[in-house]
Every structure is written in structure tokens, then in C-alpha cells.
Amino acid sequence: MSGTLIVTGASRGIGAAIAKLAGARGFAVAVNFASSEAAADEVVGHIVAAGGRAVAIRADIGSEPEIVRLFVTAERELGPIKGLVNNAGVTGGFARVETVTAQALAKAFAVNVVGAILCAREAVRRMSTRNGGTGGAIVNVSSLAARTGAAGEWVHYAASKGALDSFTIGLAREVATEGIRVNAVAPGLIATGLHAANGAPDRLDRLAASIPMNRPGTPDEVAEGVLWLLSPAASYTTGGILDIGGGRG
Ligand code: NAP
């Protein structure tokens, strides 16, 4: 695969695994991060050491001007954009709906929904054959929480991922004849720092027994699904939501 791929939130966790695998499969990778610069540089170092091309680009996906700058910089540094992975995501923290704050809601929707849609806008402006582009692919990193609803944990986060699923289906149909495929992956419980960062370091062990496969997934297992959706092997797949959850959900 060739061309420039932007992976948002690629300094850690699932995004870092996607960026590394994309670099190994031939994409020039724009490794986006918000604050973890050293970690993003490490991901870039890994890709370059393996013979690939990558740059780290700071941009808060909750900010429209920073998103626009991310795309301009990626294109300037690496060449025409052929793909986007909307991976950056935040939960807003654990809260029952009766205690959720407007601030937590605004943050989760700003990054997970508004930011993802604005990134897709920038990608479509460049990739659509209708706009003189040569096509490409978009993969949104959703969550099985969109279907389970995440009651008692983070319903607001689940709702933001539900919005991302609807957006995936709608955009896929809107640009289906313009050389762009749009899909999502819906990871289940994945072993990243997200759980501890939200104050629940035991969440992976606690929920493992509720998963049919009896274990959390790895970021690499999610990355494989994303790279397949980006590849020509998925040429007739658009508007799809691929569960990667060990049978959960
Ligand atoms: P993570 O380990 O917490 O990593 C989050 C990544 O997103 C980091 O690289 C972080 O960069 C970046 N990020 C956060 N806010 C950002 C912003 N405003 N702008 C740009 N980048 C930002 O999370 P993860 O577990 O890998 O999750 C990645 C995606 O998978 C998310 O969309 C999440 O909702 C989804 N997901 C995760 C799981 C799971 O169990 N882990 C399950 C289902 C879905 P900085 O460090 O630079 O801020």
C-alpha cells in the first residue's frame, strides 16, 4: 500500500499499533498526538528503523484549526493523503448519567465525534474523485460500547461512539462513487493504558471473564482489522463496522 496515511492519536495504545503496522505495509504515516511527544517520536523511530516513512505531528483533534494544520503538514511532509484512521478518543471518565458533567460530555463529543467528522471532511476534500483526488479509505475506531451502551460506566462515551457509527454509514454512502471507502472497527476490551488512565487499572482483569474468549484483545489485533479495511483486499467493503471483541457485545 502506498500514499500518506494519517492516524490520529497514534502516540500510544491502539493508534500506535495501527501506525506501526501501516508503516510496515508501505504507508507513509503521519503519527498524530496531542501531548505525548516523546511517545509519538518513538513510534516514528520504530517505523523509520524498519525502513518506512513517518513524521510525528502535534494536533488536538478537539480543535478545528489544529486539524486543518495536521492535514496541511502531513501532505507537505509526506505527500498526497490516501487514508485516514480516526483513532483519537477520550472517554470523559466513568460517570453514571445522573452525575455526568457538561464538561466531560463536551470533551468526549469534541474529540470522538466532531473531531472525527472534521478529519473526515479534510480527507474527503483531498481524496474524493469529485474534488480531483484519486480516492482513498477512512477507518473510524468506534467501540462495541456503541451497542452495549456501557451502562453504569460511561454511557456518554458509548453514545459518542454510536454517533461515529452513524457517521460511518452515512459518509460511506455519500462518497461511495467517489473512490472513497469508509468503515469502522468496533474493538471490545483492549489492553491499553486507557483503563488505568481512567482510574480503573483492574478493569481488564475484572471484565476478562465476561468475554467469550476470556481475555482482553491486543492493540495489534485491532490494527490487523484496520489495515485490512484500508487495503485493496477490502475493495467491496464500505459502510461496515467490524467487531474486534473476542465474541463480546
Ligand atoms: P489510549 O491508550 O488512551 O490512547 C489514546 C491516544 O489518543 C493517545 O495517543 C492520545 O495522545 C490520543 N489523544 C487523546 N486525545 C487526543 C486529542 N484531543 N487529540 C489528539 N490525540 C488525542 O487509548 P486506546 O485504548 O488506544 O484507544 C484508542 C481508540 O480506541 C479510542 O478511540 C478508544 O475510544 C477506542 N477504543 C478503545 C478500547 C479499549 O479497550 N482500549 C475499546 C474500544 C474502543 P496523547 O497521549 O498525545 O494525548
Side-chain angles (χ1 to χ4, degrees):
M1 283 174 285
S2 60
T4 298
L5 176 72
I6 296 180
V7 184
T8 66
S11 54
R12 297 182 280 115
I14 294 170
I18 294 168
K20 288 176 188 170
L21 194 58
R25 300 262 170 99
F27 280 110
V29 189
V31 176
N32 162 249
F33 67 99
S35 55
S36 303
E37 186 166 15
D41 285 343
E42 232 174 81
V43 173
V44 168
H46 178 101
I47 293 169
V48 171
R53 290 175 69 211
V55 291
I57 305 174
R58 183 194 302 273
D60 177 356
I61 298 303
S63 155
E64 182 180 19
E66 294 193 26
I67 288 170
V68 171
R69 193 176 47 75
L70 166 65
F71 276 76
V72 170
T73 309
E75 206 161 31
R76 191 186 62 226
E77 300 281 324
L78 298 170
I81 312 290
K82 291 295 287 178
L84 163 70
V85 180
N86 269 320
N87 168 79
V90 294
T91 64
F94 291 106
R96 284 174 56 92
V97 171
E98 69 215 37
T99 60
V100 77
T101 64
Q103 216 176 6
L105 267 179
K107 172 92 179 154
F109 276 77
V111 177
N112 304 356
V113 184
V114 179
I117 293 175
L118 290 175
C119 283
R121 179 192 75 186
E122 293 303 308
V124 170
R125 282 179 178 172
R126 289 164 172 82
M127 300 189 313
S128 169
T129 53
R130 193 166 172 258
N131 302 328
T134 58
I138 296 173
V139 177
N140 296 321
V141 180
S142 180
S143 172
L144 280 180
R147 280 214 314 270
T148 66
E153 289 200 310
W154 37 42
V155 171
H156 52 279
Y157 165 73
S160 75
K161 295 298 189 178
L164 191 58
D165 285 357
S166 297
F167 176 67
T168 301
I169 295 163
L171 181 62
R173 292 175 181 175
E174 190 163 295
V175 298
T177 59
E178 298 170 27
I180 303 177
R181 293 179 303 100
V182 185
N183 291 285
V185 291
L189 189 71
I190 307 299
T192 70
L194 176 144
H195 314 279
N198 282 280
D202 65 332
R203 188 165 182 263
L204 292 167
D205 290 336
R206 191 161 36 83
L207 296 183
S210 68
I211 299 163
M213 281 192 180
N214 247 318
R215 65 167 178 88
T218 66
D220 289 340
E221 289 175 312
V222 179
E224 287 289 350
V226 171
L227 264 293
W228 176 72
L229 287 169
L230 289 171
S231 79
S235 55
Y236 198 55
T237 301
T238 197
I241 299 167
L242 176 65
D243 287 6
I244 305 179
R248 192 181 195 213

